Amino acid sequence: MTLHAPAPGSGSPTAERRSQLARLLRFAVVGGVNTLTFYGCYLVLHPWMAYFAAYTIAFLFSMVGSFFLNTYFTYRTRPTWKKFLLFPLTQVTNYVVQSAGLVVLVNWCGLGTRIAPLVASVIAIPFTYLVSTRILAPRRNGGWESVPSTSN
């Protein structure tokens, strides 16, 4: 049996809002885990290379983890090669917003290179959520793709 969130305009509006809120909260949890992974990698690499190079490598590493956490936990869908190959497109938005934010925060606002990536990642959250939802949970027959239920 495949579970689908209520289609927009069908079912209980309260149930639909709860489902969307739950998914947004799961996205925030995954984002927190991903940010900590990214930031830890960045701090390890930063002493050995320029801040932007360390940032880029940490970003790429954390992106793979983000894909699996978001497919299984946030959107409750199966990872596929197609989604895996499309997922970097969702991260292009994240990378552009974070990169622009990083440069602005460091060069224009004078924020330190140790904290600026963290602030830039928070700024990018809403943009990343919208694009990730389009890629990882495409609408099917008016509902959202989900992993089949294993409960009876």
Side-chain angles (χ1 to χ4, degrees), residues 1-6 19 23 26 71 75-78 83 136-138 140 143-149:
M1 176 170 111
T2 302
L3 298 177
H4 296 281
S19 176
R23 184 175 62 201
R26 290 190 307 267
T71 54
Y75 297 101
R76 298 186 174 172
T77 186
R78 287 189 178 95
K83 289 177 187 175
L136 297 178
R140 288 190 178 172
W144 294 97
E145 177 184 325
S146 298
V147 173
S149 174

PDB file of all heavy atoms in Angstrom, residues 1-6 19 23 26 71 75-78 83 136-138 140 143-149:
ATOM      1  N   MET A   1       0.840  -1.179   0.000  1.00  0.00           N
ATOM      2  CA  MET A   1       0.000   0.000   0.000  1.00  0.00           C
ATOM      3  C   MET A   1       0.879   1.235   0.000  1.00  0.00           C
ATOM      4  O   MET A   1       1.816   1.338   0.773  1.00  0.00           O
ATOM      5  CB  MET A   1      -0.878  -0.019   1.244  1.00  0.00           C
ATOM      6  CG  MET A   1      -1.730   1.211   1.386  1.00  0.00           C
ATOM      7  SD  MET A   1      -2.924   1.007   2.696  1.00  0.00           S
ATOM      8  CE  MET A   1      -2.255   2.159   3.853  1.00  0.00           C
ATOM      9  N   THR A   2       0.578   2.194  -0.840  1.00  0.00           N
ATOM     10  CA  THR A   2       1.341   3.430  -0.903  1.00  0.00           C
ATOM     11  C   THR A   2       0.567   4.524  -0.198  1.00  0.00           C
ATOM     12  O   THR A   2      -0.626   4.706  -0.441  1.00  0.00           O
ATOM     13  CB  THR A   2       1.599   3.834  -2.366  1.00  0.00           C
ATOM     14  OG1 THR A   2       2.284   2.776  -3.001  1.00  0.00           O
ATOM     15  CG2 THR A   2       2.405   5.102  -2.449  1.00  0.00           C
ATOM     16  N   LEU A   3       1.242   5.243   0.667  1.00  0.00           N
ATOM     17  CA  LEU A   3       0.628   6.343   1.393  1.00  0.00           C
ATOM     18  C   LEU A   3       0.876   7.643   0.645  1.00  0.00           C
ATOM     19  O   LEU A   3       1.954   7.870   0.135  1.00  0.00           O
ATOM     20  CB  LEU A   3       1.226   6.466   2.788  1.00  0.00           C
ATOM     21  CG  LEU A   3       1.035   5.278   3.710  1.00  0.00           C
ATOM     22  CD1 LEU A   3       1.745   5.530   5.023  1.00  0.00           C
ATOM     23  CD2 LEU A   3      -0.433   5.032   3.959  1.00  0.00           C
ATOM     24  N   HIS A   4      -0.117   8.488   0.596  1.00  0.00           N
ATOM     25  CA  HIS A   4       0.031   9.794  -0.030  1.00  0.00           C
ATOM     26  C   HIS A   4      -0.494  10.845   0.929  1.00  0.00           C
ATOM     27  O   HIS A   4      -1.504  10.639   1.594  1.00  0.00           O
ATOM     28  CB  HIS A   4      -0.766   9.889  -1.333  1.00  0.00           C
ATOM     29  CG  HIS A   4      -0.286   8.947  -2.384  1.00  0.00           C
ATOM     30  ND1 HIS A   4       0.822   9.214  -3.146  1.00  0.00           N
ATOM     31  CD2 HIS A   4      -0.736   7.747  -2.798  1.00  0.00           C
ATOM     32  CE1 HIS A   4       1.022   8.219  -3.986  1.00  0.00           C
ATOM     33  NE2 HIS A   4       0.087   7.308  -3.778  1.00  0.00           N
ATOM     34  N   ALA A   5       0.172  11.964   0.972  1.00  0.00           N
ATOM     35  CA  ALA A   5      -0.351  13.093   1.729  1.00  0.00           C
ATOM     36  C   ALA A   5      -1.600  13.570   1.011  1.00  0.00           C
ATOM     37  O   ALA A   5      -1.747  13.365  -0.189  1.00  0.00           O
ATOM     38  CB  ALA A   5       0.687  14.204   1.816  1.00  0.00           C
ATOM     39  N   PRO A   6      -2.488  14.219   1.714  1.00  0.00           N
ATOM     40  CA  PRO A   6      -3.702  14.688   1.054  1.00  0.00           C
ATOM     41  C   PRO A   6      -3.358  15.620  -0.105  1.00  0.00           C
ATOM     42  O   PRO A   6      -2.451  16.432  -0.008  1.00  0.00           O
ATOM     43  CB  PRO A   6      -4.437  15.456   2.155  1.00  0.00           C
ATOM     44  CG  PRO A   6      -3.846  14.996   3.433  1.00  0.00           C
ATOM     45  CD  PRO A   6      -2.461  14.555   3.118  1.00  0.00           C
ATOM     46  N   SER A  19       0.470  17.561   7.915  1.00  0.00           N
ATOM     47  CA  SER A  19       1.406  16.800   7.091  1.00  0.00           C
ATOM     48  C   SER A  19       2.520  17.698   6.559  1.00  0.00           C
ATOM     49  O   SER A  19       3.700  17.330   6.591  1.00  0.00           O
ATOM     50  CB  SER A  19       0.646  16.141   5.938  1.00  0.00           C
ATOM     51  OG  SER A  19       1.537  15.485   5.076  1.00  0.00           O
ATOM     52  N   ARG A  23       6.528  17.586   7.642  1.00  0.00           N
ATOM     53  CA  ARG A  23       7.597  17.474   6.656  1.00  0.00           C
ATOM     54  C   ARG A  23       8.581  18.634   6.801  1.00  0.00           C
ATOM     55  O   ARG A  23       9.791  18.440   6.720  1.00  0.00           O
ATOM     56  CB  ARG A  23       7.031  17.427   5.241  1.00  0.00           C
ATOM     57  CG  ARG A  23       8.118  17.200   4.200  1.00  0.00           C
ATOM     58  CD  ARG A  23       7.592  17.024   2.819  1.00  0.00           C
ATOM     59  NE  ARG A  23       6.901  18.230   2.406  1.00  0.00           N
ATOM     60  CZ  ARG A  23       6.007  18.274   1.433  1.00  0.00           C
ATOM     61  NH1 ARG A  23       5.682  17.182   0.787  1.00  0.00           N
ATOM     62  NH2 ARG A  23       5.432  19.402   1.113  1.00  0.00           N
ATOM     63  N   ARG A  26      10.755  17.889   9.785  1.00  0.00           N
ATOM     64  CA  ARG A  26      11.758  16.862   9.453  1.00  0.00           C
ATOM     65  C   ARG A  26      12.866  17.466   8.592  1.00  0.00           C
ATOM     66  O   ARG A  26      14.045  17.158   8.777  1.00  0.00           O
ATOM     67  CB  ARG A  26      11.100  15.673   8.725  1.00  0.00           C
ATOM     68  CG  ARG A  26      10.208  14.835   9.615  1.00  0.00           C
ATOM     69  CD  ARG A  26       9.751  13.542   8.956  1.00  0.00           C
ATOM     70  NE  ARG A  26       9.129  13.714   7.663  1.00  0.00           N
ATOM     71  CZ  ARG A  26       7.816  13.849   7.462  1.00  0.00           C
ATOM     72  NH1 ARG A  26       6.987  13.829   8.497  1.00  0.00           N
ATOM     73  NH2 ARG A  26       7.343  13.984   6.240  1.00  0.00           N
ATOM     74  N   THR A  71      15.653  11.922   1.478  1.00  0.00           N
ATOM     75  CA  THR A  71      14.763  10.968   0.808  1.00  0.00           C
ATOM     76  C   THR A  71      14.081  10.046   1.808  1.00  0.00           C
ATOM     77  O   THR A  71      12.867   9.862   1.745  1.00  0.00           O
ATOM     78  CB  THR A  71      15.493  10.130  -0.267  1.00  0.00           C
ATOM     79  OG1 THR A  71      16.621   9.500   0.306  1.00  0.00           O
ATOM     80  CG2 THR A  71      15.896  10.967  -1.447  1.00  0.00           C
ATOM     81  N   TYR A  75      11.140  13.301   3.243  1.00  0.00           N
ATOM     82  CA  TYR A  75      10.083  13.111   2.249  1.00  0.00           C
ATOM     83  C   TYR A  75       9.523  11.693   2.231  1.00  0.00           C
ATOM     84  O   TYR A  75       8.551  11.429   1.533  1.00  0.00           O
ATOM     85  CB  TYR A  75      10.594  13.509   0.861  1.00  0.00           C
ATOM     86  CG  TYR A  75      10.945  14.979   0.820  1.00  0.00           C
ATOM     87  CD1 TYR A  75      12.260  15.407   0.916  1.00  0.00           C
ATOM     88  CD2 TYR A  75       9.946  15.936   0.712  1.00  0.00           C
ATOM     89  CE1 TYR A  75      12.570  16.760   0.895  1.00  0.00           C
ATOM     90  CE2 TYR A  75      10.243  17.287   0.696  1.00  0.00           C
ATOM     91  CZ  TYR A  75      11.564  17.684   0.786  1.00  0.00           C
ATOM     92  OH  TYR A  75      11.871  19.016   0.775  1.00  0.00           O
ATOM     93  N   ARG A  76      10.161  10.792   2.969  1.00  0.00           N
ATOM     94  CA  ARG A  76       9.704   9.406   3.097  1.00  0.00           C
ATOM     95  C   ARG A  76       9.447   8.771   1.730  1.00  0.00           C
ATOM     96  O   ARG A  76       8.384   8.224   1.470  1.00  0.00           O
ATOM     97  CB  ARG A  76       8.487   9.336   3.995  1.00  0.00           C
ATOM     98  CG  ARG A  76       8.832   9.809   5.385  1.00  0.00           C
ATOM     99  CD  ARG A  76       7.739   9.649   6.355  1.00  0.00           C
ATOM    100  NE  ARG A  76       8.262  10.019   7.676  1.00  0.00           N
ATOM    101  CZ  ARG A  76       7.535  10.144   8.733  1.00  0.00           C
ATOM    102  NH1 ARG A  76       6.250   9.919   8.685  1.00  0.00           N
ATOM    103  NH2 ARG A  76       8.081  10.485   9.882  1.00  0.00           N
ATOM    104  N   THR A  77      10.464   8.883   0.919  1.00  0.00           N
ATOM    105  CA  THR A  77      10.416   8.316  -0.414  1.00  0.00           C
ATOM    106  C   THR A  77      11.678   7.503  -0.639  1.00  0.00           C
ATOM    107  O   THR A  77      12.613   7.578   0.160  1.00  0.00           O
ATOM    108  CB  THR A  77      10.266   9.438  -1.471  1.00  0.00           C
ATOM    109  OG1 THR A  77      10.081   8.859  -2.748  1.00  0.00           O
ATOM    110  CG2 THR A  77      11.458  10.365  -1.487  1.00  0.00           C
ATOM    111  N   ARG A  78      11.685   6.714  -1.670  1.00  0.00           N
ATOM    112  CA  ARG A  78      12.861   5.894  -1.954  1.00  0.00           C
ATOM    113  C   ARG A  78      13.883   6.699  -2.748  1.00  0.00           C
ATOM    114  O   ARG A  78      13.512   7.415  -3.677  1.00  0.00           O
ATOM    115  CB  ARG A  78      12.474   4.670  -2.753  1.00  0.00           C
ATOM    116  CG  ARG A  78      11.734   3.650  -1.945  1.00  0.00           C
ATOM    117  CD  ARG A  78      11.570   2.360  -2.748  1.00  0.00           C
ATOM    118  NE  ARG A  78      10.908   1.378  -1.940  1.00  0.00           N
ATOM    119  CZ  ARG A  78       9.599   1.161  -1.961  1.00  0.00           C
ATOM    120  NH1 ARG A  78       8.834   1.855  -2.751  1.00  0.00           N
ATOM    121  NH2 ARG A  78       9.086   0.239  -1.190  1.00  0.00           N
ATOM    122  N   LYS A  83      16.711  10.565  -8.889  1.00  0.00           N
ATOM    123  CA  LYS A  83      16.678  11.596  -7.842  1.00  0.00           C
ATOM    124  C   LYS A  83      18.088  11.963  -7.390  1.00  0.00           C
ATOM    125  O   LYS A  83      18.381  13.131  -7.130  1.00  0.00           O
ATOM    126  CB  LYS A  83      15.856  11.123  -6.642  1.00  0.00           C
ATOM    127  CG  LYS A  83      14.383  11.061  -6.915  1.00  0.00           C
ATOM    128  CD  LYS A  83      13.651  10.510  -5.718  1.00  0.00           C
ATOM    129  CE  LYS A  83      12.204  10.293  -6.040  1.00  0.00           C
ATOM    130  NZ  LYS A  83      11.486   9.661  -4.940  1.00  0.00           N
ATOM    131  N   LEU A 136      12.446  15.856  -4.797  1.00  0.00           N
ATOM    132  CA  LEU A 136      12.366  14.621  -4.022  1.00  0.00           C
ATOM    133  C   LEU A 136      10.944  14.131  -3.774  1.00  0.00           C
ATOM    134  O   LEU A 136      10.742  12.964  -3.458  1.00  0.00           O
ATOM    135  CB  LEU A 136      13.099  14.773  -2.697  1.00  0.00           C
ATOM    136  CG  LEU A 136      14.603  15.018  -2.816  1.00  0.00           C
ATOM    137  CD1 LEU A 136      15.216  15.201  -1.442  1.00  0.00           C
ATOM    138  CD2 LEU A 136      15.285  13.883  -3.568  1.00  0.00           C
ATOM    139  N   ALA A 137       9.964  14.997  -3.878  1.00  0.00           N
ATOM    140  CA  ALA A 137       8.577  14.588  -3.634  1.00  0.00           C
ATOM    141  C   ALA A 137       7.677  15.121  -4.739  1.00  0.00           C
ATOM    142  O   ALA A 137       6.780  15.922  -4.493  1.00  0.00           O
ATOM    143  CB  ALA A 137       8.112  15.095  -2.274  1.00  0.00           C
ATOM    144  N   PRO A 138       7.913  14.669  -5.966  1.00  0.00           N
ATOM    145  CA  PRO A 138       7.068  15.149  -7.059  1.00  0.00           C
ATOM    146  C   PRO A 138       5.625  14.710  -6.857  1.00  0.00           C
ATOM    147  O   PRO A 138       5.371  13.646  -6.300  1.00  0.00           O
ATOM    148  CB  PRO A 138       7.680  14.504  -8.303  1.00  0.00           C
ATOM    149  CG  PRO A 138       8.396  13.309  -7.797  1.00  0.00           C
ATOM    150  CD  PRO A 138       8.851  13.650  -6.409  1.00  0.00           C
ATOM    151  N   ARG A 140       2.175  13.113  -7.636  1.00  0.00           N
ATOM    152  CA  ARG A 140       1.667  12.013  -8.457  1.00  0.00           C
ATOM    153  C   ARG A 140       0.175  11.900  -8.237  1.00  0.00           C
ATOM    154  O   ARG A 140      -0.264  11.739  -7.100  1.00  0.00           O
ATOM    155  CB  ARG A 140       2.317  10.688  -8.056  1.00  0.00           C
ATOM    156  CG  ARG A 140       3.740  10.575  -8.474  1.00  0.00           C
ATOM    157  CD  ARG A 140       4.159   9.157  -8.236  1.00  0.00           C
ATOM    158  NE  ARG A 140       5.534   8.993  -8.673  1.00  0.00           N
ATOM    159  CZ  ARG A 140       6.241   7.922  -8.457  1.00  0.00           C
ATOM    160  NH1 ARG A 140       5.729   6.917  -7.787  1.00  0.00           N
ATOM    161  NH2 ARG A 140       7.477   7.833  -8.886  1.00  0.00           N
ATOM    162  N   GLY A 143      -1.350  13.692  -5.393  1.00  0.00           N
ATOM    163  CA  GLY A 143      -0.793  13.507  -4.052  1.00  0.00           C
ATOM    164  C   GLY A 143       0.706  13.595  -4.095  1.00  0.00           C
ATOM    165  O   GLY A 143       1.306  13.961  -5.102  1.00  0.00           O
ATOM    166  N   TRP A 144       1.338  13.241  -3.001  1.00  0.00           N
ATOM    167  CA  TRP A 144       2.794  13.277  -2.914  1.00  0.00           C
ATOM    168  C   TRP A 144       3.314  11.863  -2.872  1.00  0.00           C
ATOM    169  O   TRP A 144       2.738  10.972  -2.263  1.00  0.00           O
ATOM    170  CB  TRP A 144       3.242  14.018  -1.647  1.00  0.00           C
ATOM    171  CG  TRP A 144       2.879  15.457  -1.668  1.00  0.00           C
ATOM    172  CD1 TRP A 144       1.799  16.027  -1.088  1.00  0.00           C
ATOM    173  CD2 TRP A 144       3.580  16.496  -2.336  1.00  0.00           C
ATOM    174  NE1 TRP A 144       1.784  17.365  -1.342  1.00  0.00           N
ATOM    175  CE2 TRP A 144       2.858  17.691  -2.100  1.00  0.00           C
ATOM    176  CE3 TRP A 144       4.738  16.558  -3.100  1.00  0.00           C
ATOM    177  CZ2 TRP A 144       3.277  18.912  -2.610  1.00  0.00           C
ATOM    178  CZ3 TRP A 144       5.141  17.780  -3.590  1.00  0.00           C
ATOM    179  CH2 TRP A 144       4.402  18.932  -3.351  1.00  0.00           C
ATOM    180  N   GLU A 145       4.446  11.642  -3.520  1.00  0.00           N
ATOM    181  CA  GLU A 145       5.086  10.333  -3.523  1.00  0.00           C
ATOM    182  C   GLU A 145       5.524  10.004  -2.096  1.00  0.00           C
ATOM    183  O   GLU A 145       6.059  10.842  -1.397  1.00  0.00           O
ATOM    184  CB  GLU A 145       6.291  10.362  -4.445  1.00  0.00           C
ATOM    185  CG  GLU A 145       7.056   9.085  -4.476  1.00  0.00           C
ATOM    186  CD  GLU A 145       8.290   9.206  -5.334  1.00  0.00           C
ATOM    187  OE1 GLU A 145       8.274   9.904  -6.342  1.00  0.00           O
ATOM    188  OE2 GLU A 145       9.298   8.583  -4.948  1.00  0.00           O
ATOM    189  N   SER A 146       5.321   8.756  -1.682  1.00  0.00           N
ATOM    190  CA  SER A 146       5.734   8.311  -0.352  1.00  0.00           C
ATOM    191  C   SER A 146       6.243   6.885  -0.407  1.00  0.00           C
ATOM    192  O   SER A 146       5.936   6.154  -1.333  1.00  0.00           O
ATOM    193  CB  SER A 146       4.562   8.373   0.638  1.00  0.00           C
ATOM    194  OG  SER A 146       4.113   9.682   0.786  1.00  0.00           O
ATOM    195  N   VAL A 147       6.969   6.503   0.646  1.00  0.00           N
ATOM    196  CA  VAL A 147       7.410   5.123   0.768  1.00  0.00           C
ATOM    197  C   VAL A 147       6.235   4.283   1.200  1.00  0.00           C
ATOM    198  O   VAL A 147       5.452   4.694   2.061  1.00  0.00           O
ATOM    199  CB  VAL A 147       8.552   5.023   1.808  1.00  0.00           C
ATOM    200  CG1 VAL A 147       8.907   3.582   2.085  1.00  0.00           C
ATOM    201  CG2 VAL A 147       9.765   5.792   1.335  1.00  0.00           C
ATOM    202  N   PRO A 148       6.063   3.085   0.642  1.00  0.00           N
ATOM    203  CA  PRO A 148       4.969   2.221   1.068  1.00  0.00           C
ATOM    204  C   PRO A 148       5.027   1.937   2.565  1.00  0.00           C
ATOM    205  O   PRO A 148       6.095   1.795   3.127  1.00  0.00           O
ATOM    206  CB  PRO A 148       5.181   0.937   0.263  1.00  0.00           C
ATOM    207  CG  PRO A 148       6.018   1.343  -0.902  1.00  0.00           C
ATOM    208  CD  PRO A 148       6.858   2.499  -0.410  1.00  0.00           C
ATOM    209  N   SER A 149       3.866   1.852   3.170  1.00  0.00           N
ATOM    210  CA  SER A 149       3.775   1.565   4.594  1.00  0.00           C
ATOM    211  C   SER A 149       4.133   0.111   4.865  1.00  0.00           C
ATOM    212  O   SER A 149       3.749  -0.775   4.107  1.00  0.00           O
ATOM    213  CB  SER A 149       2.363   1.844   5.081  1.00  0.00           C
ATOM    214  OG  SER A 149       2.219   1.435   6.413  1.00  0.00           O
TER     215      SER A 149
END
